[in-house]
Amino acid sequence: MIVESAVGDAIVTAKQLIGVNKKLIIFKMTQVHVSKEILSRYMDLEEKGRVMCEYLWIDGTGEGIRSKCRTMESEPKEPKECPVWNYDGSSTYQAEGSNSDMYLNPVAIFKDPFRRGPHKLVLCDVLKYNKKPAESNKRHTCAIVMEQAKDTHPWFGIEQEYTLLDVDGHPYGWPKNGFPGPQGPYYCGVGANKVYGRDIVEAHYRACLYAGVKIAGCNAEVMPAQWEFQVGPCEGIDMGDHLWVGRYLLHRVAEEFGVVVTLDPKPIEGDWNGAGAHCNYSTQAMRDPEGIKVIEVAIERLSKHHVRHIKAYDPKEGKDNERRLTGFHETSSIHDFSAGVANRGASIRIPRQVAEEGCGYLEDRRPSSNCDPYAVTEVIVRTTVLDV
């Protein structure tokens, strides 16, 4: 049985009756195609001076990103020029239907690489009906901590790993009825038999540069279909702002290619690397001559709060990371704290160049790929600077 409709280049075909009873008929959708050429006709229309602002926020899962658009009569230059807005929190795991309005409080503005021109991406804090931060709003307390520590000039750089999937949830480019060859040739690989999805990666990089996200680099990772982009150095609260917008752009770009991005820390069980968000961190004192002594003090403080950090390093307080931090595949054990020079199997790695030069930064390798960067950077500063 085939049901088909066509409008211009847009085709939707439904076929294969897969379930029938007296009350239920189920159709399996097997093809959906929308022409980008049709869309381009409308994207070139004149906007008459009005501006589209896409408001972005973090939903109740602590890792999902939502967005919606509103029109403004002129181009906003600062977040305060964008009005507070609202949305239905009962549909984002953040409120009950009987009291569902949540507030979107603009905190950062970026250029919109999809609409271009004067159009903007507006990153928002989420506030509850009583104007207090939502439970998933980790930015609020992070901003307070960064203000308290601003004289130490904390810098961060996060290495965001992710995996590309087909819409069926299978790793992008992998054989449908098997596995690719063992890990080894894929990390920073070149060639169609070693890397999958480079066009997505390149498009995302350009989108970040256009938007103003402080993207620092990218590379193919150890598992095929796994990639990484780095954001930083960013000072204070900017780290979380820029990484969240970088993630939004990644999901949007992949959407254009019909590919799914997962930040799951262990998307494929077995002898495959997981995905993390290694956090590189320093203060001005660490970057100054003989800063290695300050780094060593910071590591000693970190060693005393291992459990607190593990709970802050993924949205499920360690349950997600437990699948990744096994002591294998370039990770430390989730149960133990360790540190070492150039040791990728440690909780904290001191880069060899830092050890040789006697100053620089440390790398915390524990954060999960689906971590909230606000929570990660906040707890690091609390432990190493504020000592609370």
Side-chain angles (χ1 to χ4, degrees), residues 114-149:
F114 305 105
R115 298 178 175 121
R116 306 189 186 188
H119 308 298
K120 296 291 186 284
L121 304 176
V122 182
L123 183 65
C124 299
D125 260 350
V126 173
L127 306 177
K128 297 187 290 188
Y129 68 95
N130 56 8
K131 303 298 180 68
K132 293 183 178 180
E135 286 72 13
S136 57
N137 181 355
K138 306 299 183 184
R139 190 185 190 280
H140 178 75
T141 54
C142 181
I144 293 172
V145 166
M146 294 306 171
E147 178 64 23
Q148 293 172 345

Coordinates of all heavy atoms in Angstrom, one line a residue, residues 114-149:
F114 N 22.8 31.2 10.3 CA 21.9 30.6 9.4 C 21.0 31.6 8.7 O 20.8 31.5 7.5 CB 20.9 29.6 10.2 CG 21.7 28.6 11.0 CD1 21.9 28.7 12.4 CD2 22.3 27.5 10.4 CE1 22.6 27.8 13.1 CE2 23.0 26.6 11.1 CZ 23.2 26.7 12.4
R115 N 20.6 32.7 9.4 CA 19.9 33.7 8.8 C 20.8 34.9 8.3 O 20.4 35.7 7.4 CB 18.8 34.3 9.8 CG 17.8 33.2 10.2 CD 16.8 33.7 11.2 NE 15.8 32.8 11.5 CZ 15.6 32.3 12.7 NH1 16.3 32.7 13.7 NH2 14.6 31.4 12.9
R116 N 21.9 35.0 8.9 CA 22.9 36.0 8.6 C 22.4 37.4 8.7 O 21.4 37.7 9.4 CB 23.5 35.8 7.2 CG 24.1 34.4 7.0 CD 24.8 34.2 5.7 NE 25.2 32.8 5.5 CZ 26.0 32.4 4.5 NH1 26.4 33.3 3.6 NH2 26.3 31.1 4.4
G117 N 23.1 38.4 8.1 CA 22.6 39.8 8.2 C 22.6 40.3 9.7 O 23.5 39.9 10.5
P118 N 21.6 41.0 10.0 CA 21.5 41.6 11.4 C 20.9 40.6 12.4 O 20.8 40.9 13.6 CB 20.6 42.8 11.2 CG 19.6 42.3 10.2 CD 20.4 41.5 9.2
H119 N 20.5 39.4 12.0 CA 19.8 38.5 12.9 C 20.7 37.9 13.9 O 21.9 37.8 13.8 CB 19.2 37.4 12.0 CG 18.3 38.0 10.9 ND1 17.2 38.8 11.1 CD2 18.5 37.9 9.6 CE1 16.7 39.2 10.0 NE2 17.5 38.6 9.0
K120 N 20.1 37.5 15.1 CA 20.9 37.2 16.3 C 20.5 35.9 16.9 O 19.3 35.5 16.8 CB 20.8 38.3 17.3 CG 21.4 39.7 16.9 CD 22.9 39.6 16.8 CE 23.5 41.0 16.5 NZ 23.3 41.4 15.1
L121 N 21.4 35.3 17.6 CA 21.2 34.2 18.6 C 21.3 34.8 19.9 O 22.3 35.5 20.2 CB 22.2 33.1 18.4 CG 22.4 32.5 17.0 CD1 23.5 31.4 17.0 CD2 21.1 31.8 16.6
V122 N 20.3 34.6 20.8 CA 20.2 35.2 22.1 C 20.2 34.1 23.2 O 19.2 33.4 23.3 CB 19.0 36.1 22.3 CG1 19.0 36.8 23.6 CG2 18.9 37.1 21.1
L123 N 21.3 33.9 23.8 CA 21.4 32.9 24.9 C 20.8 33.5 26.2 O 20.9 34.6 26.5 CB 22.9 32.6 25.2 CG 23.2 31.5 26.2 CD1 22.7 30.2 25.8 CD2 24.6 31.4 26.6
C124 N 20.0 32.6 26.8 CA 19.1 33.1 28.0 C 19.3 32.2 29.2 O 19.5 31.0 29.1 CB 17.7 33.0 27.6 SG 17.2 34.1 26.2
D125 N 19.2 32.9 30.4 CA 19.0 32.2 31.6 C 17.6 31.8 31.7 O 16.7 32.5 31.2 CB 19.3 33.2 32.8 CG 20.7 33.1 33.4 OD1 21.3 32.1 33.1 OD2 21.0 33.9 34.2
V126 N 17.3 30.8 32.5 CA 15.9 30.4 32.7 C 15.5 30.7 34.1 O 16.2 30.2 35.1 CB 15.7 28.9 32.4 CG1 14.3 28.5 32.8 CG2 15.9 28.6 30.9
L127 N 14.4 31.4 34.3 CA 13.9 31.7 35.6 C 12.5 31.1 35.8 O 11.7 31.0 34.8 CB 13.8 33.2 35.8 CG 15.1 34.0 35.6 CD1 14.8 35.5 35.8 CD2 16.2 33.5 36.5
K128 N 12.1 30.7 37.0 CA 10.8 30.1 37.3 C 9.8 31.2 37.5 O 10.1 32.4 37.4 CB 10.9 29.3 38.6 CG 11.8 28.1 38.4 CD 11.8 27.1 39.6 CE 12.4 27.7 40.8 NZ 12.5 26.8 42.0
Y129 N 8.6 30.8 37.7 CA 7.5 31.8 37.9 C 7.7 32.8 38.9 O 7.2 34.0 38.9 CB 6.2 31.0 38.2 CG 6.2 30.4 39.6 CD1 5.6 31.0 40.7 CD2 6.8 29.1 39.8 CE1 5.7 30.5 42.0 CE2 6.8 28.6 41.1 CZ 6.3 29.3 42.2 OH 6.3 28.7 43.4
N130 N 8.5 32.5 40.0 CA 8.8 33.4 41.1 C 10.1 34.2 40.8 O 10.7 34.8 41.7 CB 8.9 32.6 42.4 CG 9.9 31.5 42.3 OD1 10.7 31.3 41.4 ND2 10.0 30.7 43.4
K131 N 10.6 34.1 39.6 CA 11.8 34.8 39.2 C 13.1 34.3 39.8 O 14.2 34.9 39.7 CB 11.7 36.3 39.4 CG 10.5 37.0 38.8 CD 10.6 36.9 37.3 CE 9.4 37.6 36.6 NZ 9.4 39.0 36.8
K132 N 13.0 33.1 40.4 CA 14.2 32.4 40.9 C 14.8 31.5 39.8 O 14.0 31.0 39.0 CB 13.9 31.7 42.2 CG 13.6 32.6 43.3 CD 13.3 31.8 44.6 CE 13.0 32.7 45.8 NZ 12.8 31.9 47.1
P133 N 16.1 31.2 39.8 CA 16.7 30.3 38.8 C 16.0 28.9 38.8 O 15.8 28.4 39.8 CB 18.2 30.2 39.2 CG 18.4 31.4 40.0 CD 17.1 31.7 40.8
A134 N 15.8 28.4 37.6 CA 15.3 27.1 37.4 C 16.4 26.1 37.9 O 17.6 26.4 37.9 CB 15.0 26.8 36.0
E135 N 16.0 24.9 38.3 CA 17.0 23.9 38.8 C 18.0 23.6 37.7 O 19.2 23.3 38.1 CB 16.2 22.6 39.1 CG 15.4 22.7 40.4 CD 14.2 23.5 40.3 OE1 13.7 23.8 39.2 OE2 13.6 23.8 41.4
S136 N 17.7 23.7 36.5 CA 18.7 23.4 35.4 C 19.5 24.6 35.1 O 20.4 24.5 34.2 CB 18.0 22.9 34.1 OG 17.0 23.9 33.7
N137 N 19.3 25.8 35.7 CA 20.0 27.0 35.4 C 21.3 27.0 36.3 O 21.3 27.5 37.4 CB 19.1 28.2 35.7 CG 19.9 29.5 35.5 OD1 21.0 29.6 35.1 ND2 19.1 30.6 35.6
K138 N 22.4 26.4 35.8 CA 23.6 26.4 36.5 C 24.4 27.7 36.3 O 25.4 28.0 37.0 CB 24.5 25.2 36.0 CG 23.8 23.9 36.1 CD 23.4 23.5 37.5 CE 22.7 22.1 37.6 NZ 22.2 21.8 38.9
R139 N 24.0 28.5 35.3 CA 24.7 29.7 35.0 C 24.6 30.7 36.2 O 25.6 31.5 36.4 CB 24.2 30.4 33.7 CG 25.0 31.5 33.2 CD 24.4 32.2 32.0 NE 25.3 33.1 31.4 CZ 25.5 34.4 31.8 NH1 24.9 34.9 32.9 NH2 26.4 35.2 31.1
H140 N 23.5 30.8 36.9 CA 23.3 31.8 37.9 C 24.4 31.7 39.0 O 25.0 32.7 39.2 CB 21.9 31.5 38.5 CG 21.6 32.5 39.6 ND1 21.3 33.8 39.4 CD2 21.6 32.3 41.0 CE1 21.0 34.4 40.6 NE2 21.2 33.5 41.6
T141 N 24.6 30.6 39.6 CA 25.6 30.5 40.6 C 27.0 30.5 40.0 O 27.9 31.0 40.7 CB 25.5 29.2 41.4 OG1 25.5 28.1 40.6 CG2 24.2 29.2 42.2
C142 N 27.2 30.0 38.8 CA 28.5 30.1 38.2 C 28.9 31.6 38.0 O 30.1 31.9 38.3 CB 28.5 29.4 36.8 SG 30.1 29.4 35.9
A143 N 28.0 32.4 37.6 CA 28.3 33.9 37.4 C 28.7 34.5 38.7 O 29.6 35.4 38.8 CB 27.1 34.6 36.8
I144 N 28.1 34.1 39.8 CA 28.4 34.7 41.1 C 29.8 34.3 41.5 O 30.7 35.1 42.0 CB 27.4 34.2 42.2 CG1 26.0 34.8 41.9 CG2 27.9 34.5 43.6 CD1 24.9 34.2 42.8
V145 N 30.2 33.0 41.3 CA 31.5 32.5 41.7 C 32.6 33.2 40.8 O 33.6 33.5 41.3 CB 31.6 30.9 41.5 CG1 33.0 30.4 41.5 CG2 30.8 30.3 42.6
M146 N 32.3 33.3 39.5 CA 33.3 33.9 38.6 C 33.5 35.4 39.0 O 34.6 35.9 38.9 CB 32.8 33.8 37.2 CG 32.8 32.4 36.7 SD 34.4 31.5 36.9 CE 33.9 29.9 36.4
E147 N 32.5 36.1 39.5 CA 32.6 37.5 39.9 C 33.5 37.5 41.2 O 34.4 38.4 41.3 CB 31.3 38.1 40.2 CG 31.3 39.5 40.7 CD 31.9 40.5 39.7 OE1 31.8 40.2 38.5 OE2 32.3 41.6 40.2
Q148 N 33.4 36.6 42.1 CA 34.2 36.5 43.3 C 35.6 36.2 43.0 O 36.5 36.7 43.7 CB 33.6 35.4 44.2 CG 32.3 35.8 44.8 CD 31.7 34.6 45.6 OE1 32.1 33.5 45.5 NE2 30.6 34.9 46.4
A149 N 35.9 35.5 41.9 CA 37.3 35.1 41.6 C 37.9 35.9 40.4 O 38.9 35.5 39.9 CB 37.3 33.6 41.2

